[in-house]
Amino acid sequence: MKKLKERWGISSNWQVVVIFIVFGITGSTSAKIAGPIVEFLGVTQENTSGWIYWPVRILLIFPVYQVLLIIFGWIFGQFQFFWAFEKKMLRRLGFAKFLD
């Protein structure tokens, strides 16, 4: 835990627990929300091949996850951590020009 706290720049074990909770809630919620959004777009398992349906759903989960991560981070009082985490992730994916 000590290395993780140093790497993330946080000071307490409680913050680590809260951060793990936020990651868990965000992942579950984004996967759950992606289903109705994909259906709204007209892409369902009944009318679309699994080779198309699942990549579309996974690609949709990514932006939903990014937004929810910031929202849940704010709700749990860890906005600064998750905003820095988000910017770092998006820079690594090549979106640096949109952040500056």
Side-chain angles (χ1 to χ4, degrees), residues 47-62:
N47 69 4
T48 309
S49 165
W51 292 99
I52 295 172
Y53 175 79
W54 287 108
V56 167
R57 186 167 175 167
I58 291 168
L59 288 172
L60 182 65
I61 286 174
F62 181 73

Side-chain angles (χ1 to χ4, degrees), residues 83-94:
W83 183 241
F85 183 87
E86 197 65 38
K87 289 191 295 187
K88 186 176 179 181
M89 183 186 328
L90 291 174
R91 279 190 181 102
R92 287 182 179 173
L93 293 172

Side-chain angles (χ1 to χ4, degrees), residues 11-30:
S11 57
S12 72
N13 290 341
W14 179 246
Q15 281 181 293
V16 174
V17 171
V18 170
I19 289 168
F20 285 155
I21 289 170
V22 169
F23 277 125
I25 291 172
T26 303
S28 301
T29 305
S30 63

Side-chain angles (χ1 to χ4, degrees), residues 68-82:
L68 289 177
L69 193 62
I70 297 298
I71 291 170
F72 286 128
W74 175 74
I75 289 171
F76 281 85
Q78 296 296 318
F79 177 80
Q80 292 298 329
F81 171 82
F82 285 104

